[in-house]
Amino acid sequence: MREARIAWIDNAKGISVILVVMMHSALGVGEAMGGEGLLHWLVAFAKPFRIPGFFVIAGLFLSRAIDQNWRSYLDKKVAHFAYFYCLWLFIQWLFKSALRPGADPLTALGQLALALVEPFGTLWFIYLLPIFFVATKLLRFVPPPLMLVSAALLEIAPIETGWAVPDEFAARYVYFLSGYLFAPQVFALAESARRHPREALCWLLGWAMADAALAFSPSPSADYPTLASLPLVSLVTGFAGAAAVIAGAALLADLPSMAWLRYCGANSLAIYLGFFLPMAAARKLIVDHDLVDSVGLASLIVTLAGVIVPLLLHRMTERGRLRFLFERPRSFRLPHADSGAHSAGQKVV
């Protein structure tokens, strides 16, 4: 039987994935049109917490699965994401490299091979998640304080090897780990926000002002563009922003008008996997044909295309032959792995 969804978690996932699509859309449009708009300010405001919040939410339910046998665990936490990474890697590679006019076949094949060790484009999040899952299961008997301190030091340390896997692991693991270790406290925070909405709104206002001050203020160091990006400050702003996303998502949980946001959150990985193509197509259409003069409006249109089109594609393929785009076929499950609730296939969401 399928578990009931938790509204505020879907809201939080919806906020996070929309911020990700907005970032790629606005920056791409701004570069193509040579300017900035309102969404660029929102992207800069969200930069300190956009990805930390995503990973905190991703770690919340790990305690339910971490003690499973390794075969079932690897099937659900590694093979599941590996399937979608490889599938959508191939789709993106076709459009970005293989089918591009004048593309060199050997160079394109080299890019495809490299993507097995260096996450490809926007897909780095689902490449890194299985690594987090495996690392946490391997380290689950290490004292939590030691794990947290070590992960926090990795985030603070300026680790820049040029390889996305160790760099992003160092920068993001502390948030995923915290979601796993502090899940009860996260749920308590969400419940407190729902019970005390006025206090939560006041706290959110104070946080927003502090985040804006840090995100828009240049740092004294040339290596760090803003105060929010400074070592240790980035850790604090990451956690504060993740808490704000959770509290805000909880405040929206009971509003019927936010059903669309919950739907986005319930299908957040479908959006994440599929937003690249409609985003790129909408941007090219607008820029090539001068359809919109405003960078802000063009960024908004491209963002909406990046969110809505994947949802439509997901809905259209749910029951047809193309459902493999968002549902892992049973033939791609590990042998003898516990099938759980999804006997026919495992959905991306």
Side-chain angles (χ1 to χ4, degrees):
M1 185 176 178
R2 197 172 182 181
E3 294 184 354
R5 303 199 66 92
I6 299 174
W8 72 260
I9 289 182
D10 281 339
N11 282 342
K13 290 165 66 178
I15 293 169
S16 297
V17 76
I18 290 172
L19 288 175
V20 168
V21 176
M22 182 188 299
M23 183 266 292
H24 286 285
S25 299
L27 296 185
V29 169
E31 182 178 353
M33 297 181 67
E36 293 187 352
L38 175 60
L39 291 194
H40 284 78
W41 291 87
L42 293 177
V43 167
F45 173 80
K47 186 175 181 180
F49 63 89
R50 179 176 53 243
I51 300 302
F54 224 146
F55 279 117
V56 168
I57 298 299
L60 279 182
F61 293 104
L62 181 56
S63 60
R64 297 183 178 182
I66 198 165
D67 291 323
Q68 291 178 342
N69 66 76
W70 270 103
R71 185 178 294 276
S72 294
Y73 189 82
L74 290 175
D75 177 69
K76 295 174 182 177
K77 302 301 184 184
V78 178
H80 179 66
F81 291 102
Y83 167 80
F84 290 109
Y85 176 80
C86 291
L87 172 62
W88 284 90
L89 160 64
F90 184 74
I91 293 171
Q92 285 200 18
W93 171 78
L94 281 177
F95 285 90
K96 294 179 71 173
S97 299
L99 300 180
R100 190 176 60 189
D104 177 46
L106 290 179
T107 301
L109 288 173
Q111 291 175 340
L112 184 62
L114 179 63
L116 297 178
V117 293
E118 177 69 16
F120 191 84
T122 59
L123 296 174
W124 70 271
F125 177 79
I126 61 168
Y127 187 103
L128 209 59
L129 264 183
I131 297 175
F132 284 176
F133 284 125
V134 171
T136 307
K137 186 170 177 65
L138 289 172
L139 298 171
R140 69 190 187 281
F141 297 119
V142 175
L146 179 58
M147 292 177 66
L148 278 172
V149 170
S150 299
L153 290 175
L154 284 176
E155 197 276 347
I156 295 170
I159 297 177
E160 295 182 3
T161 67
W163 181 18
V165 174
D167 292 354
E168 293 296 343
F169 183 95
R172 313 299 185 185
Y173 183 59
V174 65
Y175 303 108
F176 178 86
L177 181 64
S178 297
Y180 161 58
L181 293 175
F182 295 114
Q185 288 80 4
V186 171
F187 278 89
L189 170 64
E191 184 60 26
S192 177
R194 293 181 68 182
R195 290 186 176 183
H196 309 286
R198 292 184 180 179
E199 291 86 344
L201 284 172
C202 289
W203 181 85
L204 284 172
L205 179 61
W207 160 80
M209 292 188 293
D211 182 84
L214 294 170
F216 293 114
S217 299
S219 81
S221 172
D223 296 328
Y224 302 95
T226 65
L227 292 178
S229 64
L230 288 168
L232 191 58
V233 179
S234 65
L235 186 66
V236 174
T237 55
F239 277 119
V245 169
I246 291 163
L251 289 176
L252 300 174
D254 297 323
L255 298 179
S257 59
M258 288 293 106
W260 65 270
L261 181 61
R262 292 190 286 276
Y263 185 79
C264 288
N267 299 280
S268 58
L269 275 182
I271 296 174
Y272 184 82
L273 290 172
F275 83 88
F276 169 79
L277 293 177
M279 177 193 72
R283 180 179 66 231
K284 182 173 177 58
L285 185 65
I286 289 173
V287 173
D288 288 357
H289 298 279
D290 295 322
L291 297 180
V292 178
D293 294 330
S294 167
V295 174
L297 179 57
S299 299
L300 177 61
I301 293 171
V302 172
T303 299
L304 290 174
V307 172
I308 294 172
V309 174
L311 290 175
L312 292 175
L313 179 62
H314 177 245
R315 191 66 175 264
M316 290 167 56
T317 58
E318 271 187 311
R319 303 181 186 279
R321 293 182 179 180
L322 294 179
R323 63 180 181 272
F324 69 88
L325 290 172
F326 300 105
E327 181 176 325
R328 179 168 57 125
R330 187 173 180 81
S331 57
F332 283 87
R333 296 184 61 88
L334 295 183
H336 309 298
D338 179 20
S339 61
H342 305 298
S343 59
Q346 192 169 11
K347 293 186 177 181
V348 70
V349 296

